[in-house]
Amino acid sequence: MFTQFFGSYLLNKQIVSADNLKKAMELKSSTRVKLGVLAINAGYMTAKQVDAVHKMQATVDKRIGDIAVEMGYLTPEQVTELLSAQKTGCLVLGQTLVDMGCLTNEEFEEALNSYKSEHHLEDEDFSTENEKKAGNVIGSFFKLSKTANADLISEYINILLKNLIRFIGDDFAPINECAVQPTDTAVTQNISGESNFVTSVAGSDKAMIEFASRYAEEQLTENDEYTKDVVSEFLNLNNGLFTVNVSNNSGKELKLSPQQACTADKVAKLKAKYTVKVPVAFSFGNIVFTICEV
Amino acid sequence: MSALSQAKILICDDSMMIRKKMRSLLEGYGVTNISEAKDGKEAVEKYAEVLPDITFMDIVMPEMSGVDALKAIKEKYPDAVVVMATSIGTEGNLTEAIRYGASDFLQKPVEEERLKKLLGHYFKEA
């Protein structure tokens, strides 16, 4: 999920546009991370050195690694190490944006380093999906520090984002704001226990149809009862896995109510103690999840 | 032990998608006698009507929960084989379901291998 938040970071800092980010999210599955990006990430080469190697490659018929060694930027051992290094999602996204011409190597270097330093992230956190740090990134992005039940909400968002990656796709970025039309379709489900929550998911017809198509693994064409049923089942599955997690971690038993389809304005009018919105921008459109404590 | 292809199976889930996916998996194993119920109340009625060899029961359903439906079925049919198929496999829910006589538990999303293994406990050629 650090990849998705790297996308959000690039968007929030206005380093890339929403359209280009969506396009990169769509294209990244076919991207091959090149040696230059790997070397920048490992701190073995600066972006300027990578650019110099690329410039040289245009004039000689040699591999990038060999040129970098000849120019004294890398040792042969470092080349071998980099080529077998794990290509984490952030690097794939960065490489896609560089390939698209939306980022220079230098801008990528700067953005990746500031993203890592802002959230105190190390390379190994990316490959192990460090839970504690994921919680910190979620808390900071959704400004949960002043929210009651912040740990529980953060756990909910963590599970939600993991389930989105697992069942819908990794081509999304959490965003701060996203307007939902009052007439947009929504599905709600109550979670009750020591505290009571109303969870929901809402989106435009187009976004809901594509979201449901991916979850059901069949191409749906209308926002009909079946599409709402599929979205509703995703919410139920997510909330079910959340209750299992809470039960395993803290021994607290939460109950779920059957889901209900409604419109987004009904969710907006709920009398809640507080509401946390989790809008996510997929390449096919925006989907907004909400968690309200009632 | 009877053959899986001859089995009568009841799927109880409020989600059309889950019923469709379960039906498709079971049909892939050659099962033809499949019934469906969309809530707990309908599950109890359908059970009495078809007397299935095995029932897959969701927990969170409208009208009547899967655990209440299980309780009602087991009271009348103590030998009923009811498998709870749910995403909310918390200790509390599982303990309650076992207390009321659930035979097994299937975690959602249903993994084909796990379903096949489970059916192998009750039928031949699973």
Side-chain angles (χ1 to χ4, degrees), chain B residues 10-80:
Chain B
L10 174 59
I11 306 164
C12 311
D13 202 303
D14 57 333
S15 163
M16 281 184 266
M17 182 194 83
I18 297 291
R19 297 200 301 272
K20 189 176 167 185
K21 280 192 180 286
M22 278 292 278
R23 176 180 278 277
S24 159
L25 283 173
L26 294 168
E27 283 173 351
Y29 303 145
V31 183
T32 53
N33 200 336
I34 303 168
S35 306
E36 295 179 14
K38 66 177 185 314
D39 58 52
K41 195 165 163 272
E42 205 175 287
V44 177
E45 290 163 4
K46 212 72 178 179
Y47 189 94
E49 190 187 316
V50 299
L51 296 174
D53 298 306
I54 190 166
T55 300
F56 290 101
M57 184 79 75
D58 184 20
I59 291 185
V60 180
M61 288 193 288
E63 300 291 333
M64 182 192 272
S65 79
V67 173
D68 287 340
L70 161 77
K71 202 174 152 190
I73 290 170
K74 289 296 275 191
E75 268 171 16
K76 211 166 171 190
Y77 306 95
D79 295 333

Side-chain angles (χ1 to χ4, degrees), chain A residues 6-235:
Chain A
F6 183 48
S8 310
Y9 181 86
L10 295 171
L11 205 59
N12 285 347
K13 300 280 178 190
Q14 298 178 332
I15 299 168
V16 296
S17 70
D19 283 349
N20 282 336
L21 182 64
K22 278 185 184 179
K23 205 170 169 196
M25 288 287 189
E26 244 179 291
L27 295 173
K28 73 183 174 66
S29 59
S30 55
T31 297
R32 199 174 59 84
V33 181
K34 297 181 183 115
L35 192 74
V37 160
L38 291 167
I40 290 172
N41 178 56
Y44 292 163
M45 285 171 76
T46 63
K48 278 188 178 149
Q49 290 170 336
V50 170
D51 288 340
V53 171
H54 281 159
K55 213 170 169 186
M56 178 65 82
Q57 201 199 18
T59 62
V60 292
D61 184 24
K62 281 184 182 170
R63 288 181 300 187
I64 289 278
D66 295 336
I67 300 172
V69 171
E70 277 174 22
M71 293 175 80
Y73 296 143
L74 294 175
T75 64
E77 291 74 26
Q78 285 174 325
V79 174
T80 312
E81 182 201 319
L82 291 174
L83 291 175
S84 60
Q86 195 168 7
K87 282 80 180 169
T88 57
C90 286
L91 300 186
V92 178
L93 179 61
Q95 182 74 64
T96 311
L97 287 161
V98 169
D99 291 349
M100 283 167 64
C102 301
L103 279 185
T104 61
N105 279 318
E106 206 165 346
E107 285 166 337
F108 166 69
E109 179 183 39
E110 204 182 315
L112 185 65
N113 288 338
S114 8
Y115 173 60
K116 282 181 183 172
S117 114
E118 192 167 299
H119 296 292
H120 310 289
L121 295 170
E122 306 289 337
D123 271 354
E124 60 186 37
D125 298 329
F126 290 88
S127 46
T128 56
E129 285 286 334
N130 184 315
E131 286 293 316
K132 193 172 176 289
K133 290 193 180 174
N136 292 344
V137 175
I138 288 169
S140 140
F141 187 83
F142 293 103
K143 301 179 178 64
L144 298 180
S145 61
K146 287 179 186 161
T147 308
N149 278 316
D151 288 347
L152 201 64
I153 301 285
S154 170
E155 192 175 343
Y156 185 89
I157 298 173
N158 192 342
I159 289 173
L160 172 66
L161 298 178
K162 280 184 186 160
N163 284 330
L164 288 176
I165 293 171
R166 181 174 170 201
F167 298 110
I168 310 298
D170 64 359
D171 56 334
F172 71 87
I175 49 178
N176 288 119
E177 279 299 322
C178 167
V180 178
Q181 299 305 313
T183 52
D184 280 351
T185 302
V187 174
T188 66
Q189 183 170 43
N190 298 352
I191 303 178
S192 52
E194 274 180 18
S195 308
N196 297 309
F197 299 94
V198 178
T199 62
S200 73
V201 48
S204 67
D205 285 356
K206 183 180 168 284
M208 287 301 223
I209 292 167
E210 190 52 38
F211 185 89
S213 297
R214 287 190 182 192
Y215 186 52
E217 296 174 315
E218 55 184 302
Q219 192 53 58
L220 308 176
T221 52
E222 281 177 57
N223 190 11
D224 55 12
E225 286 309 305
Y226 187 68
T227 294
K228 286 171 196 159
D229 174 90
V230 174
V231 174
S232 165
E233 182 53 28
F234 175 84
L235 187 65

